[in-house]
Amino acid sequence: SIAEIHAAGEALSSTIVYVLNSEVVVNYKRTQKNSGVSQTWVFVEDETGVIALDFGNATFKPKAGDKIKGIKGVYDDRIRSGSERIGAPSFKVVTDATIEVVSSENELNVIKTTLAEVLQDTMAYHSRIVEISNFVGTSKTHTDDTGVREDYYLYDKVNPSFEMHYTPEYHTGDPIIGDNLILKGLVNFNCLEGYYVIYRISVTEDTNATTKIDDDSQSVVKFYSVDGTLYIETVSGQSLEVYNVVGQCIYATTNSSNLTEISGLEGV
């Protein structure tokens, strides 16, 4: 089982072929080139745990939701930082493995959590699909000896000190910019860059993110940011105050229209 692979750890030999007796469900598949060689990683899960399968350039191409059996391969524990393993162990599938699809379109195990929780205990989420909300996607322009570059980050709204730096073309396809979003993806260690990332499966609007204020007028306030400008929608004549994460009031006004635009705020 996958749990036995995790328990055995380095005791497993990289020269002995092992067979997974359990049927596993494919959570995610990713193809990339390493040193010009196409490499397909398939992340699978059974009731005991998760593991990454290295299919190399094999012709067998399972898809997410497939339940498969017949996995045979050698143990791989190469993602390390010094003596500490920082990535989940994986299997390099041997070419003579006879893998078959038992069923398709199986429900995937998706863990609803926050960005802060993932970054606080990343190994608990490693190679698992997560769904996170209550975060902000933003970018920063940096200039150094190599020129001008754009860096991309996700920040946890409740704990802004928890941030995830990512490279769109490697990890998410397109930049994730904005507020009130839900990100579903696979948590993994990026061995090229040296940090944990979430490979995007989908990004959707968080329809539950609108904040309602109970008062005599039963008004509803919506707030969002676009390109660094904060927008607040509510009925006119309201007292509006904006605080930073350490409790300082950084903006205050009484709005004269239904839409208030505030620019020049750091971290928006």
Side-chain angles (χ1 to χ4, degrees):
S1 70
I2 291 178
E4 290 174 311
I5 294 173
H6 284 274
E10 296 178 10
L12 295 178
S13 169
S14 60
T15 60
I16 298 176
V17 175
Y18 296 88
V19 177
L20 267 179
N21 291 321
S22 58
E23 296 178 350
V24 296
V25 174
V26 176
N27 281 345
Y28 185 80
K29 183 177 72 174
R30 177 175 177 82
T31 300
Q32 62 189 38
K33 284 194 173 182
N34 288 333
S35 302
V37 178
S38 180
Q39 187 176 38
T40 300
W41 290 93
V42 175
F43 298 86
V44 297
E45 180 173 0
D46 65 10
E47 65 276 7
T48 71
V50 292
I51 198 169
L53 305 178
D54 179 2
F55 274 82
N57 58 358
T59 56
F60 181 77
K61 297 294 187 293
K63 60 183 183 297
D66 284 350
K67 179 178 285 188
I68 60 178
K69 67 177 182 179
I71 296 170
K72 183 166 65 171
V74 293
Y75 177 78
D76 189 358
D77 188 25
R78 62 188 173 192
I79 305 178
R80 308 182 68 84
S81 176
S83 60
E84 180 184 1
R85 189 180 74 228
I86 52 178
S90 62
F91 253 19
K92 186 172 184 179
V93 179
V94 295
T95 55
D96 64 341
T98 304
I99 301 175
E100 60 180 290
V101 177
V102 178
S103 59
S104 299
E105 299 182 1
N106 290 276
E107 184 177 355
L108 303 183
N109 180 25
V110 180
I111 304 172
K112 293 185 178 182
T113 183
T114 66
L115 184 65
E117 289 172 340
V118 169
L119 296 178
Q120 280 178 305
D121 191 10
T122 311
M123 284 304 292
Y125 297 95
H126 199 296
S127 299
R128 295 188 181 275
I129 297 176
V130 297
E131 182 179 284
I132 65 170
S133 57
N134 209 29
F135 70 92
V136 178
T138 187
S139 64
K140 293 180 182 178
T141 301
H142 291 277
T143 303
D144 54 25
D145 295 339
T146 62
V148 180
R149 73 176 189 275
E150 199 77 9
D151 283 350
Y152 297 92
Y153 302 87
L154 300 183
Y155 292 93
D156 188 273
K157 285 184 180 179
V158 178
N159 298 285
S161 60
F162 288 100
E163 66 174 34
M164 189 189 81
H165 176 217
Y166 68 94
T167 306
E169 58 264 36
Y170 291 150
H171 309 135
T172 63
D174 294 316
I176 301 173
I177 304 295
D179 198 355
N180 297 345
L181 301 174
I182 297 176
L183 168 63
K184 183 164 72 171
L186 182 105
V187 179
N188 198 240
F189 182 78
N190 177 35
C191 57
L192 297 178
E193 301 293 339
Y195 48 72
Y196 284 98
V197 295
I198 299 175
Y199 291 125
R200 171 161 64 182
I201 295 175
S202 65
V203 176
T204 56
E205 183 180 358
D206 187 354
T207 57
N208 296 320
T210 299
T211 302
K212 294 185 177 181
I213 299 178
D214 294 326
D215 59 15
D216 293 339
S217 62
Q218 293 297 305
S219 63
V220 174
V221 58
K222 295 182 180 179
F223 48 92
Y224 51 91
S225 66
V226 178
D227 295 333
T229 298
L230 179 66
Y231 296 86
I232 303 176
E233 294 182 19
T234 187
V235 295
S236 61
Q238 300 293 312
S239 175
L240 306 178
E241 296 178 349
V242 179
Y243 292 80
N244 63 16
V245 294
V246 295
Q248 298 169 322
C249 182
I250 57 176
Y251 184 88
T253 188
T254 298
N255 65 333
S256 57
S257 66
N258 294 339
L259 179 63
T260 303
E261 301 180 19
I262 309 171
S263 59
L265 300 178
E266 293 185 3
V268 175

